[in-house]
Amino acid sequence: MNFIRSVIPKDSIIEQLLLVVLVILLVKFLNIAIRKILERASKRGFDRAAIPLISDLSKYALYVIGLLLCLNIMGVNTNGLLAMIGAASLAVGLALKDTLSNVAAGILLLFLKPFCAGDYIECGTIKGKISGIGMFNTTFETMDGLYVSAPNSSLWGAPIVNYSRNLTRRLDLTVGVAYKESLDRVLRILREMVAREARFLKIPVPQFFVSELADNSVNITIWVWVNTYEYHMLDRLYREIIKNTLDEYNIEIPFPQRVVHMAKEDEVPADPAPKQDEENELDNPDSELMQIVNGRKKPNGDEDHFMKDLV
């Protein structure tokens, strides 16, 4: 100890620099340790989406604490600095209220957990699979592989539809058949088709009903419950299976039709009916037109042209 003190005097600049380096190394070690703990927790079932937010919060908190310790070691009056930071934080908070709202929304999303990593959600115009929740934004991956980053406040302030939360989901299948087809026969065929599929759940019981009497078809809807992770696969598959099944039993699936009447080329359109004003003048013997017809008045240019048409 005496040897150390002989090399590094107490309260010397060398001692202060060594303590500052020790604090920096301690902060880095704690950050690495927190990341390792979060990675192990994610392997044991902890939500992976929360890891970026917890990591960022702990990292910035350790940086602030480390900075204050270093300033205290160097002899800076941290009490006055803390008072200054407290006064400045109000102005910074007002200037960055939108940014801070994202931080608060991220913390609420972390604790209330409306979704987890890997969940497919819809929020407003955003649809995608959750990749992670950061301090300021949440990242998605869309079905076509695009990267989407959305502010946390936009998610917290809008309704969230989580397509992955429930284990089962109802699959709606609708097909239109011609009016001439027997509904009893069509429903029987569809029931047999559903009964052969083991991936359709038995409870709740599948339902079959006429959903609409459309202009060109009778629309029949099937409600079946499936496991959520099989929903999209079965939805795509059974659109094809229904078409092939109805074709196998010669059941017509109609398509929209339009009837167009074509006029023959040799047809002459009928003369248009006289206007009401002309009929009134012909019925009145004292009208100007009848005076011209009877020779009691000389016609002008327009009336002369009309007289020739009458002839």
Side-chain angles (χ1 to χ4, degrees):
M1 188 69 180
N2 293 330
F3 174 75
I4 296 175
R5 283 303 176 190
S6 63
V7 178
I8 306 174
K10 187 177 181 180
D11 296 332
S12 65
I13 187 66
I14 298 176
E15 181 184 26
Q16 292 175 351
L17 291 176
L18 288 175
L19 290 175
V20 168
V21 171
L22 181 63
V23 170
I24 293 174
L25 292 176
L26 181 62
V27 169
K28 289 187 176 180
F29 172 77
L30 290 176
N31 277 328
I32 294 173
I34 291 173
R35 285 200 298 269
K36 296 290 185 182
I37 292 172
L38 291 174
E39 289 175 1
R40 291 180 180 178
S42 65
K43 294 179 181 179
R44 298 180 180 179
F46 185 75
D47 184 16
R48 298 191 310 274
I51 292 178
L53 178 59
I54 297 176
S55 178
D56 289 344
L57 288 175
S58 61
K59 178 176 66 176
Y60 291 121
L62 287 174
Y63 284 164
V64 172
I65 294 172
L67 177 62
L68 293 176
L69 288 175
C70 291
L71 292 175
N72 193 18
I73 291 171
M74 298 300 293
V76 178
N77 185 5
T78 55
N79 293 329
L81 182 62
L82 288 174
M84 185 185 301
I85 292 174
S89 62
L90 179 60
V92 174
L94 292 175
L96 301 176
K97 60 179 182 178
D98 294 335
T99 302
L100 295 178
S101 67
N102 289 328
V103 177
I107 295 173
L108 292 172
L109 291 173
L110 173 64
F111 285 100
L112 296 181
K113 293 184 177 179
F115 48 77
C116 301
D119 286 354
Y120 187 84
I121 73 165
E122 177 182 356
C123 184
T125 58
I126 302 172
K127 284 185 179 182
K129 184 184 295 185
I130 296 294
S131 300
I133 305 173
M135 181 173 289
F136 304 106
N137 61 338
T138 299
T139 56
F140 299 80
E141 182 181 353
T142 62
M143 294 292 288
D144 52 350
L146 299 179
Y147 172 86
V148 178
S149 177
N152 291 333
S153 58
S154 66
L155 297 177
W156 180 251
I160 297 174
V161 180
N162 192 330
Y163 292 97
S164 305
R165 176 61 60 89
N166 295 336
L167 297 178
T168 60
R169 184 177 173 185
R170 193 185 75 192
L171 174 61
D172 297 355
L173 299 169
T174 301
V175 61
V177 299
Y179 274 90
K180 66 179 183 178
E181 303 293 345
S182 170
L183 289 180
D184 293 336
R185 180 170 177 263
V186 174
L187 291 173
R188 176 178 57 80
I189 293 171
L190 294 177
R191 288 190 179 97
E192 293 174 354
M193 178 196 70
V194 170
R196 290 193 297 266
E197 179 55 69
R199 288 169 292 189
F200 291 154
L201 303 180
K202 305 304 178 183
I203 299 176
V205 178
Q207 298 185 28
F208 306 80
F209 56 92
V210 176
S211 57
E212 184 183 6
L213 298 177
D215 294 337
N216 302 288
S217 64
V218 178
N219 293 338
I220 298 175
T221 298
I222 307 170
W223 285 355
V224 289
W225 288 81
V226 299
N227 293 315
T228 300
Y229 66 89
E230 296 179 321
Y231 175 86
H232 292 289
M233 182 269 293
L234 291 173
D235 184 28
R236 293 189 295 267
L237 176 63
Y238 265 83
R239 295 181 189 277
E240 179 181 349
I241 291 178
I242 289 176
K243 171 66 168 59
N244 293 334
T245 301
L246 296 182
D247 288 345
E248 180 183 353
Y249 287 92
N250 296 321
I251 295 176
E252 180 183 353
I253 302 177
F255 52 88
Q257 301 179 17
R258 178 174 295 176
V259 178
V260 179
H261 296 280
M262 303 295 292
K264 295 181 180 180
E265 294 182 358
D266 56 350
E267 287 184 354
V268 179
D271 293 334
K275 297 180 180 180
Q276 186 65 33
D277 294 340
E278 296 175 358
E279 292 181 352
N280 294 337
E281 290 185 3
L282 292 174
D283 294 338
N284 184 6
D286 295 328
S287 66
E288 185 176 1
L289 178 61
M290 292 304 298
Q291 292 180 18
I292 295 173
V293 173
N294 297 327
R296 290 184 290 167
K297 182 179 178 181
K298 184 178 181 180
N300 56 26
D302 295 338
E303 293 165 344
D304 186 43
H305 177 70
F306 180 75
M307 291 295 297
K308 293 179 180 179
D309 291 340
L310 288 179
V311 176

